[in-house]
């Protein structure tokens, strides 16, 4: 800039020289005219004065002076055009360049928690209001202690009942399972059918044999009756006929037959009650009936035994009751002594009143963290390609400086209040403190890109036209346009990737005031 300023100073000096020359020439003309006027006034009183001749002479002198002045000005202009234009220069060197994007945003909490009632109980104390600050571990509200104790006792009894009911059902099922001795209900029913058939078959045998024996008994009884009748009849006939005893059947013989018949009847009657085969058959029937009774009990046990589905249902019911009761007890134990803030922050919403009975799910309050804070920004199209996740940010909030980092860039754009498409982004504040106020505006300087040890020139040395970017260099005293390729650029500097090398000399005079091909002279600082 000193060189540019030097250039302006030389131009001014030239103008001052030209101006002084013009002033001196004008003074000479004025003096000459004044001198002529004075001479004319003196000669007016002399007898030899000729007015017309004197007036023409003055005009001639004035015109001559004007011609001399114009010639002198033209000569100086021609001389100035042919003279080299003074310019300042600088040597191209290496340095560092960093692109910083400045963008504003609003401070917001990156962690918000709403506290909901887990129990149906009256609120004991709730003294906070919206906007109040709380610290991590502070009691933010309490429940009525007496009501908590009552609810806890009910939950414990429900748990005990659920466990007892389940244990009783399982115990009963185990006993029924033991009776089954590993048999299935299908096997039991098949055996019961077999036993019934076997008993029926034995009963048929007993019936058939008993019937034969009864028939024999009946026949013997008839014979006995016939014998008795015949014996009486024969005795009567003999008496009537006056037959001699030796001419009739003897009474002893008939008595013997009757006795034998009676013995046979007795044997049959005894056999009906004591026949070994019938007794064995009856023992078999008794055994089969005992087996049938046992199997019937097993069948009944099978019917009362739990199926796999019933067992699963009982287990699920017990687990559900246990879970509900356990959760209730846990919630009560956590609520005893009051609900505490999980982090430091600001109360942004109150949803219940002290003394009111709340149902599970009722929102009590909302707290936004001041330990976990971010800045919400809106990124314009021109800055979108520069800003990336992980970039460092210098954040200023209420005059305080904080360290930040870009943590999120939205994948979609939306129109802002002016209708311009923007992309939402988030900056995480890494070192928040109690001075931060949520909702205020923050200024952010995002360190987007940086290059170290590269060719760097002030942006004011670089020109731009329809053909691209360029700088001016001096080639044998003549101004020459040198195209360059830019890398990173800021509002003040630019990285030069191609076109010039380290140590090259470039013209630092404002390129918009220079024309390629002009003779120039390098001015020293």
């Amino acid at each position: 800039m000193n060189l540019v300023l030097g250039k302006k100073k030389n131009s001014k000096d030239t103008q001052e020289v030209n101006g002084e020359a013009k002033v001196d020439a004008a003074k000479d003309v004025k003096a000459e005219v004044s001198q002529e006027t004075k001479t004319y006034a003196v000669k007016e009183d002399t007898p030899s004065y000729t007015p017309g001749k004197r007036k023409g002479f003055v005009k001639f002198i004035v015109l001559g002076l004007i011609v001399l002045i114009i010639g002198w000005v033209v000569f100086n202009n021609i001389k100035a055009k042919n003279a080299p234009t003074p310019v300042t220069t600088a040597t191209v060197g290496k340095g560092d360049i960093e692109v910083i994007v400045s963008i504003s945003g609003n401070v917001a909490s990156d962690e918000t928690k709403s506290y909901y009632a887990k129990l149906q109980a009256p609120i004991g104390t709730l003294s906070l209001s919206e906007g109040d600050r709380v610290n991590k571990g502070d009691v933010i509200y309490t429940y009525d202690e007496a009501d908590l104790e009552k609810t806890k006792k009910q939950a414990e009894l429900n748990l005990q009942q659920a466990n007892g009911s389940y244990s009783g059902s399982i115990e009963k099922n185990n006993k029924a399972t033991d009776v089954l001795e590993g048999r299935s209900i299908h096997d039991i029913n098949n055996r019961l059918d077999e036993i019934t058939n076997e008993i029926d078959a034995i009963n048929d045998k007993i019936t058939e044999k008993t019937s034969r024996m009864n028939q024999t008994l009946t026949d013997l009884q008839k014979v006995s009756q016939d014998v008795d009748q015949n014996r009486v009849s024969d005795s009567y006939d003999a008496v009537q006929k006056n037959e001699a005893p030796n001419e009739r059947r003897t009474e002893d013989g008939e008595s013997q037959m009757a006795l034998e018949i009676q013995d046979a009847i007795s044997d049959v009657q005894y056999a009906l009650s004591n026949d070994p085969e019938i007794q064995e058959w009856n023992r078999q029937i008794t055994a089969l009936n005992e087996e049938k009774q046992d199997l019937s009990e097993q069948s009944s046990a099978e019917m009362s035994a739990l199926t796999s589905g019933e067992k699963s249902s009982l287990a699920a019911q017990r687990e559900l009751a246990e879970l509900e009761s356990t959760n209730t007890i846990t919630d009560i134990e956590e609520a005893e002594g009051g609900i505490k803030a999980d982090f430091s922050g600001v109360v942004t919403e109150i949803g219940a009143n002290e003394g009111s009975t709340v149902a599970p799910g009722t929102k009590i309050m909302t707290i936004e963290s001041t330990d976990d804070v971010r800045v919400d920004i809106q990124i314009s199209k021109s800055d979108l390609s520069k800003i990336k996740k992980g970039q460092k940010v210098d954040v200023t909030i209420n005059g305080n400086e904080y360290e930040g980092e870009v943590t999120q860039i939205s994948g979609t754009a939306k129109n802002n209040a002016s209708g311009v498409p923007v992309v939402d982004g988030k900056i995480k504040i890494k070192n928040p403190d109690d001075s931060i106020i949520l909702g205020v505006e923050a200024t952010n300087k995002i360190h987007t890109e940086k290059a170290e040890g590269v060719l760097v020139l002030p942006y004011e040395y670089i020109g731009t036209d329809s053909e691209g970017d360029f700088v001016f260099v001096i080639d044998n005293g003549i101004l020459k346009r040198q195209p360059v390729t830019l890398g990173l650029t800021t509002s003040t500097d630019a990285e030069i990737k191609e076109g010039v090398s380290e140590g090259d000399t470039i013209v630092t005079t404002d390129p918009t005031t220079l024309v390629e091909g002009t003779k120039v002279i390098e001015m020293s600082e």
Side-chain angles (χ1 to χ4, degrees):
M1 291 300 293
N2 290 334
L3 297 180
V4 176
L5 291 174
K7 172 206 167 191
K8 292 180 179 179
K9 183 177 180 182
N10 293 337
S11 177
K12 183 177 180 181
D13 292 343
T14 304
Q15 292 174 0
E16 289 176 355
V17 171
N18 293 336
E20 289 175 359
K22 294 177 182 179
V23 171
D24 292 340
K27 288 180 179 179
D28 292 341
V29 173
K30 182 177 181 181
E32 185 66 25
V33 173
S34 299
Q35 184 64 33
E36 291 294 330
T37 303
K38 290 177 181 180
T39 303
Y40 175 79
V42 173
K43 289 180 180 180
E44 186 177 9
D45 295 331
T46 61
S48 59
Y49 171 69
T50 306
K53 184 177 179 180
R54 186 65 176 171
K55 185 176 181 181
F57 179 74
V58 172
K59 289 181 179 180
F60 175 77
I61 293 174
V62 172
L63 291 173
L65 289 173
I66 293 174
V67 171
L68 288 174
I69 292 171
I70 293 173
W72 184 83
V73 172
V74 172
F75 173 77
N76 280 295
N77 287 338
I78 294 173
K79 182 178 179 182
K81 286 183 179 180
N82 293 328
T85 301
V87 293
T88 56
T89 61
T91 301
V92 178
K94 289 186 176 181
D96 300 338
I97 184 171
E98 184 175 22
V99 179
I100 297 178
V101 175
S102 296
I103 189 170
S104 62
N106 293 324
V107 180
S109 175
D110 212 24
E111 182 178 9
T112 300
K113 180 173 181 178
S114 293
Y115 291 81
Y116 295 89
K118 295 181 179 180
L119 307 165
Q120 181 162 342
I123 296 294
T125 58
L126 200 169
S127 58
L128 294 173
S129 301
E130 292 184 7
D132 288 348
R133 287 182 177 269
V134 296
N135 294 317
K136 182 178 180 180
D138 287 351
V139 174
I140 53 179
Y141 66 93
T142 65
Y143 289 100
D144 181 84
E145 293 294 333
D147 195 271
L148 287 183
E149 184 63 28
K150 178 182 177 182
T151 305
K152 184 177 181 180
K153 186 63 176 179
Q154 290 175 343
E156 291 173 344
L157 292 174
N158 289 338
L159 179 59
Q160 182 178 352
Q161 182 183 22
N163 288 330
S165 176
Y166 177 78
S167 298
S169 298
I170 294 299
E171 183 178 355
K172 182 178 179 180
N173 178 72
N174 291 338
K175 290 181 179 180
T177 303
D178 292 339
V179 172
L180 291 175
E181 299 178 352
R183 289 183 176 184
S184 68
I185 187 64
H186 177 72
D187 294 338
I188 292 174
N189 289 333
N190 286 341
R191 179 57 185 156
L192 286 172
D193 291 340
E194 292 176 356
I195 291 174
T196 299
N197 293 332
E198 290 179 11
I199 291 175
D200 289 342
I202 294 173
N203 282 327
D204 289 342
K205 291 179 181 180
I206 294 174
T207 299
E208 190 272 334
K209 188 171 185 178
T210 302
S211 295
R212 286 189 289 107
M213 294 176 69
N214 284 329
Q215 183 63 46
T216 300
L217 179 60
T218 299
D219 292 341
L220 288 173
Q221 288 174 344
K222 287 182 179 181
V223 171
S224 175
Q225 290 177 358
D226 290 341
V227 169
D228 291 342
Q229 290 177 358
N230 289 333
R231 185 176 58 182
V232 172
S233 175
D234 289 343
S235 297
Y236 177 79
D237 289 341
V239 172
Q240 292 294 327
K241 294 179 178 181
N242 296 316
E243 292 179 352
N246 57 349
E247 291 180 355
R248 294 184 283 115
R249 286 184 297 179
T250 64
E251 185 177 348
D252 293 338
E254 292 178 354
S255 299
Q256 182 65 32
M257 181 182 293
L259 290 174
E260 289 178 355
I261 292 172
Q262 288 299 322
D263 290 341
I265 290 173
S266 298
D267 290 340
V268 172
Q269 290 176 339
Y270 180 82
L272 284 171
S273 302
N274 300 283
D275 182 72
E277 189 174 27
I278 292 177
Q279 288 181 343
E280 177 61 25
W281 286 339
N282 284 326
R283 282 193 295 269
Q284 291 179 9
I285 290 174
T286 300
L288 289 173
N289 282 327
E290 290 176 355
E291 183 182 358
K292 184 176 182 180
Q293 178 65 29
D294 184 56
L295 290 176
S296 296
E297 291 178 0
Q298 293 182 36
S299 176
S300 177
E302 173 68 16
M303 295 301 293
S304 63
L306 297 174
T307 65
S308 59
E310 290 171 337
K311 291 179 182 178
S312 298
S313 177
L314 278 176
Q317 291 175 8
R318 172 181 176 270
E319 185 175 355
L320 180 61
E322 184 177 14
L323 181 63
E324 291 177 349
S325 299
T326 301
N327 287 343
T328 300
I329 293 172
T330 300
D331 293 338
I332 292 173
E333 291 176 348
E334 291 178 354
E336 291 175 344
I339 304 300
K340 299 178 180 179
D342 294 322
F343 46 76
S344 298
V346 176
V347 177
T348 58
E349 183 181 3
I350 297 291
N353 298 317
E354 187 173 299
S356 61
T357 299
V358 293
T362 302
K363 182 188 288 188
I364 306 300
M365 69 174 59
T366 299
I367 298 178
E368 295 188 18
S369 173
T370 53
D371 291 336
D372 195 357
V373 184
R374 71 175 189 269
V375 178
D376 294 330
I377 59 175
Q378 292 185 328
I379 307 170
S380 64
K381 178 181 178 181
S382 60
D383 292 331
L384 186 59
S385 61
K386 304 174 186 177
I387 300 176
K388 295 178 176 60
K389 290 176 62 176
Q391 292 172 338
K392 294 182 179 180
V393 185
D394 297 330
V395 182
T396 303
I397 304 174
N398 294 333
N400 298 319
E401 302 291 333
Y402 301 93
E403 297 176 7
E405 179 182 339
V406 178
T407 56
Q408 183 178 341
I409 298 175
S410 176
T412 58
K414 64 180 183 181
N415 292 337
N416 61 13
S418 302
V420 178
V422 292
V423 174
D424 289 335
K426 299 183 186 300
I427 297 173
K428 176 78 171 181
I429 298 178
K430 302 172 72 173
N431 57 335
D433 56 27
D434 293 338
S435 299
I436 292 180
I437 299 177
L438 301 179
V440 301
E441 186 178 38
T443 58
N444 312 280
K445 293 182 178 180
I446 305 175
H447 297 260
T448 59
E449 297 178 275
K450 184 177 182 180
E452 298 178 344
V454 297
L455 300 179
V456 179
L457 289 177
Y459 215 91
E460 59 186 5
Y461 297 169
I462 303 170
T464 303
D465 58 18
S466 59
E467 297 181 10
D469 300 311
F470 65 91
V471 295
F472 280 119
V473 297
I474 300 174
D475 185 9
N476 294 325
I478 302 298
L479 203 61
K480 179 183 177 182
R481 183 185 187 279
Q482 178 62 43
V484 293
T485 301
L486 304 185
L488 299 182
T489 60
T490 69
S491 60
T492 58
D493 299 308
E495 175 191 3
I496 308 299
K497 286 186 168 292
E498 296 179 359
V500 295
S501 302
E502 184 179 12
D504 288 350
T505 300
I506 64 165
V507 175
T508 59
T509 302
D510 184 0
T512 61
T513 65
L514 303 177
V515 179
E516 186 179 14
T518 303
K519 290 182 180 181
V520 294
I521 182 171
E522 184 177 348
M523 301 293 291
S524 60
E525 295 185 10

